[in-house]
DNA sequence: GTTTATAGTTAGATAAATCTAACATTTTTA
DNA sequence: TAAAAATGTTAGATTTATCTAACTATAAAC
């Protein structure tokens, strides 16, 4: 099946995210979540319905189909993972990480995503806790030079 | 002035990149570079001209204005930097890094860009050469576990 | 220097994504 | 339960970005 547009992915993800905390899903909620007007939502939901990703009872509630749920979860997973990488590894602020993740999630390749996920996990599972080299990076980012203890702590032979 | 769309940024960047290796710039070149048809280029160039970023003699050559050049360079710089980060730090393959950079360049925030640039430089200027921890990451990415020498080499106290 | 080939342009179509304004349905409430 | 409020839908407009087909201008070749 043809790939979803960025916009449709956003709508699908919004429905998914809303469903995590809300019992029912309405057009108005989606509009609020995405900062668009309700006719835009109706339009998008129509297109998602055509593709069998959403079920929408007229004037009533919305639901993801199985396929819709899976796709939505996939998109949202990417979002979460890009966010984590930006925030935890690169040290980008919370808000900006979220915003960037929201855009990038639609475009990043499987391969890059995989490396980001692994990188984040590499940091998170570091045997020594928060890795020394990442401390050193933060120092470098702040001061523009490697800390004096850098060589010592990282030399391998 | 209003932000350029992704598409217009692509056209502008294309013109810039072509100008690096080609004496003159033509509609056809741009079309080839971006894999679109010439009417699309004419249209886009028209919009770039309206914004004072490009000069186009009818049936003739194209040129970037000063402002256009600056903007194009900015966009292309982002491209280069995202590419480098993905390729050199994350270890994403050449081709995919390029493709991803091409998309992401339009969306990434100044802050995240800044951190990526610094991260790449942090790696490149590492006093010990290619850093041990990055070798460890590559090991981790390949085998799914930290190398046995990991703790030793990175412990700080 | 005409003809032919190449390149560029215009016109008109289509699709996505948004909006406002008007209308319809449901739900709430007095 | 009838009026009012809230929510949802439709219709129609706008912008961007593409395309194809038809036309026009410039360059090349003979």
């Amino acid at each position: 099946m043809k790939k979803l547009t960025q916009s449709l992915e956003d709508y699908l993800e919004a429905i998914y995210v809303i469903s995590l905390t809300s019992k029912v899903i309405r057009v108005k909620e989606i509009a609020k979540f995405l900062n668009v007007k309700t006719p835009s939502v109706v339009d998008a939901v129509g297109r998602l319905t055509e593709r069998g990703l959403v079920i929408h009872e007229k004037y009533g509630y919305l639901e993801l189909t199985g396929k819709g749920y899976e796709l939505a979860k996939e998109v949202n997973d990417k979002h979460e993972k890009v966010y984590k990488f930006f925030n935890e590894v690169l040290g980008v602020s919370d808000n900006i990480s979220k915003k960037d993740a929201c855009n990038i999630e639609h475009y990043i390749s499987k391969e890059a995503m995989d490396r980001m996920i692994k990188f984040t996990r590499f940091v998170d599972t570091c045997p020594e806790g928060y890795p020394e080299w990442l401390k050193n990076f933060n120092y470098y980012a702040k001061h523009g030079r490697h800390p004096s203890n850098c060589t010592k702590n990282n030399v391998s032979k």
Side-chain angles (χ1 to χ4, degrees), chain A:
Chain A
M1 190 194 244
K2 222 183 130 204
K3 229 174 134 270
L4 290 181
T5 60
Q6 155 159 218
S7 170
L8 287 189
E9 276 190 4
D10 280 333
Y11 282 101
L12 197 66
E13 190 184 11
I15 295 169
Y16 171 80
V17 171
I18 292 166
S19 79
L20 294 178
T21 59
S22 185
K23 186 79 198 185
V24 296
I25 303 159
R26 317 216 58 139
V27 166
K28 208 203 172 186
E29 288 273 309
I30 301 169
K32 192 172 147 204
F33 189 93
L34 291 176
N35 254 299
V36 295
K37 304 297 179 183
T38 53
S40 307
V41 176
V42 172
D43 198 276
V45 164
R47 258 175 291 129
L48 291 174
T49 301
E50 274 171 25
R51 287 163 179 265
L53 302 172
V54 158
I55 293 166
H56 183 203
E57 197 171 349
K58 232 185 174 186
Y59 290 102
Y61 301 141
L62 282 128
E63 235 185 314
L64 290 169
T65 65
K67 204 167 74 174
Y69 179 84
E70 262 178 52
L71 235 177
K73 196 160 166 19
E74 241 172 69
V75 174
N76 188 242
D77 271 13
K78 272 198 197 174
H79 183 113
E80 294 294 328
K81 262 109 182 208
V82 173
Y83 165 74
K84 263 200 159 181
F85 178 81
F86 273 42
N87 189 243
E88 292 180 17
V89 180
L90 288 183
V92 173
S93 70
D94 242 64
N95 275 343
I96 305 275
S97 292
K98 264 171 207 158
K99 238 180 270 177
D100 279 9
C102 195
N103 289 317
I104 288 170
E105 65 185 3
H106 305 294
Y107 297 109
I108 196 162
S109 65
K110 211 173 179 52
E111 188 183 329
M113 194 66 260
D114 181 64
R115 301 294 288 193
M116 277 193 196
I117 293 167
K118 281 184 175 145
F119 210 110
T120 308
R121 202 175 300 146
F122 175 67
V123 168
D124 282 350
T125 62
C126 178
E128 48 160 325
Y130 192 81
E132 187 66 15
W133 60 265
L134 197 44
K135 284 182 207 157
N136 290 342
F137 166 59
N138 286 313
Y139 183 96
Y140 180 85
K142 196 164 177 186
H143 302 96
R145 62 171 190 283
H146 294 269
S148 52
N149 68 340
C150 187
T151 312
K152 272 186 221 139
N153 289 317
N154 288 299
V155 144
S156 57
K157 302 179 189 136

